[in-house]
Amino acid sequence: MGLSERRALKLVGMSPSTMRYRPCSDGNAGLRERLKKLAGQHCLHGYRMLHSRLRIDGWMINVKRTYRVYREEGLMVRKRRRKKLRVPERQPLVRPMQPNEVRSMDFVFDELASGRRVKTLTSFFHQFFQQREQGTVVRPPRRKIE
């Protein structure tokens, strides 16, 4: 088919500059090599520590540029896996045998009429317990709070 390049590109709908484009290097070849070398020597350092080492070596570059090259080279620090601890064997709760064996503590939040918030730690004994023989609940006498 004897079409010229210009007519073929027009037929396809493509720009001639796209066809003739030659990518140029980004000028980071030296930086890439130095970054790889530092990452190999200091495998637990992330891009920020490597950036500071580059600055000490005399590289005057932006931290964003260091991060971009770091990511392009795939130099990610591996996250440490958490050590799995042995789970102790669970013990059943001991039932109280007599009154005042169990104590509870809790925070109570309230607001005064003036708008001030009050936080109070309350502590009390559990005086309710079940008698095992009879299966009845013994409750303490009610006291009027004034």
Side-chain angles (χ1 to χ4, degrees):
M1 246 205 225
L3 283 179
S4 67
E5 181 182 298
R6 185 172 50 103
R7 283 194 180 175
L9 289 172
K10 191 173 185 180
L11 186 68
V12 176
M14 197 167 122
S15 169
S17 61
T18 307
M19 175 75 175
R20 297 185 188 113
Y21 176 75
R22 298 280 180 248
C24 58
S25 68
D26 57 357
N28 291 327
L31 174 63
R32 287 178 196 280
E33 293 304 315
R34 185 65 185 143
L35 202 54
K36 282 184 198 175
K37 187 176 178 184
L38 284 174
Q41 291 173 353
H42 309 283
C43 56
L44 295 179
H45 289 183
Y47 77 96
R48 290 184 189 273
M49 283 295 288
L50 293 177
H51 176 75
S52 66
R53 290 207 176 260
L54 286 170
R55 296 290 291 239
I56 290 169
D57 290 347
W59 289 82
M60 297 304 292
I61 57 170
N62 191 340
V63 71
K64 293 180 280 188
R65 183 174 173 191
T66 305
Y67 179 71
R68 180 174 51 80
V69 173
Y70 183 82
R71 290 294 302 244
E72 286 173 358
E73 291 300 317
L75 302 172
M76 300 303 294
V77 176
R78 287 178 177 80
K79 291 184 179 178
R80 294 184 193 175
R81 291 200 57 153
R82 194 171 159 197
K83 183 179 175 183
K84 289 191 176 182
L85 301 174
R86 250 184 66 212
V87 178
E89 191 174 316
R90 294 182 183 239
Q91 301 292 327
L93 291 175
V94 180
R95 295 196 57 110
M97 299 302 290
Q98 45 187 308
N100 299 332
E101 272 191 8
V102 181
R103 173 173 273 202
S104 293
M105 294 168 59
D106 193 14
F107 283 102
V108 177
F109 299 90
D110 200 3
E111 190 172 325
L112 301 176
S114 63
R116 183 177 174 205
R117 293 184 179 171
V118 180
K119 178 179 173 182
T120 310
L121 176 65
T122 59
S123 171
F124 54 90
F125 289 106
H126 285 275
Q127 295 182 350
F128 308 119
F129 70 97
Q130 233 173 356
Q131 292 180 339
R132 293 183 182 207
E133 306 87 42
Q134 300 172 354
T136 60
V137 177
V138 177
R139 291 192 165 90
R142 292 189 180 263
R143 285 184 247 154
K144 187 176 181 182
I145 300 173
E146 295 180 28

